[in-house]
Amino acid sequence: MITVANPIYDVVFKYLMEDKRIARTILSALLKEDILEVEMRPHEYVNDKRDSVSVLRIDFGARVRKPNGSEQLILIELQKTWLETETLRFRQYLGVQYDNPDNMLVGGEHALPMVAVYLLGHRVGDIDEPVLYVKHKAYNYDEQLVTKGLPNAFVDSLTHDSIIVQIPLLRGRLGNKTDGRTYGKDRLDRVLSIFDQSNGEGRNKRVLNIDDSLYHGDADMEHILQRLAMAAGDSKVRQDMNIEEEFISAIERRDTEILHRDQVLAEQRVLLTEQKELLDEQKSQLDEQKNQLDEQKNQLDEQKNQLQLLIKMLVQSGKTIDYIAESLHVDKHVVEAIIKL
């Protein structure tokens, strides 16, 4: 077993990718392309730490040999984040690259073809593929695939492919060594196995324990492990890892507090909604009772009007107060009061 620095840390990943051989190995596996030469573009390393999340961005220029033997220059926009972030942040970075005149081909007529690579320390929804390739294609009006004349510099200047790596899903994909042989699905699995967080050392996330015998005979992977081991022994790298971990931990604590607060607020909103519904129901009942009382009052008023009319008619016919009271089963004083109206 060999103890190496965890490349999920920004400082370690940058230390790793500054080695051109390693950058070529990793990017070749991701792009499934024969990358002949790769250069980290000057002043294009960005570690954007805001109050929400840390996003590492490294831009590369690469010379690729195509299957037909021709060579092509491309731009690789690599972004890595520990935590979930807004897609707007990624889109803003891409916008900067589209607007950068240095990304134009010689002559300035078309831009360099671009591939966006996202290394995510979190899952994307319910997608269960560890590596997702999102490629643009051209179709005519009838949804038929158009291949004639493609690829085309103009089209490639306006669209780009994307590769999304979900680091939590890389767990155990390298396989085990059996009978002196190392089994893995393909080259990409071997390259990405260095990000497998299941190799972590307990609560110490800064290092991984990797069985280096699984990589014997693979010179490129042995070189990667050596570089990661050097990072683990570099005091400056370790110090920067501690600072980065403190920053991420602070974000996680804050996000946990926000999540708890949001849960409390959500529960309070539900309670307030239930109380409002109860009050609305009580108001409806009171309104119904008021309508019933109003109806009863209207009925009593109608009965009173009818009684007044009947008493006045009996008085006009010469009937006595006693007779009227006895006939209508009302109090004599009531009859007298109505007669005086």
Side-chain angles (χ1 to χ4, degrees), residues 2 4 15-16 21-22 219-232:
I2 182 174
V4 301
Y15 182 86
L16 193 67
R21 177 180 176 182
I22 293 175
D220 288 332
M221 291 305 301
E222 290 179 343
H223 182 66
I224 290 176
L225 293 182
Q226 291 171 3
R227 181 78 172 173
L228 288 175
M230 289 173 55

Side-chain angles (χ1 to χ4, degrees), residues 37 61-64 71-75 105-106 111-114:
E37 185 179 359
R63 186 163 56 90
V64 178
E71 297 182 5
Q72 181 185 33
L73 294 176
I74 66 171
L75 174 67
L105 292 168
V106 176
L112 285 170
M114 181 168 62

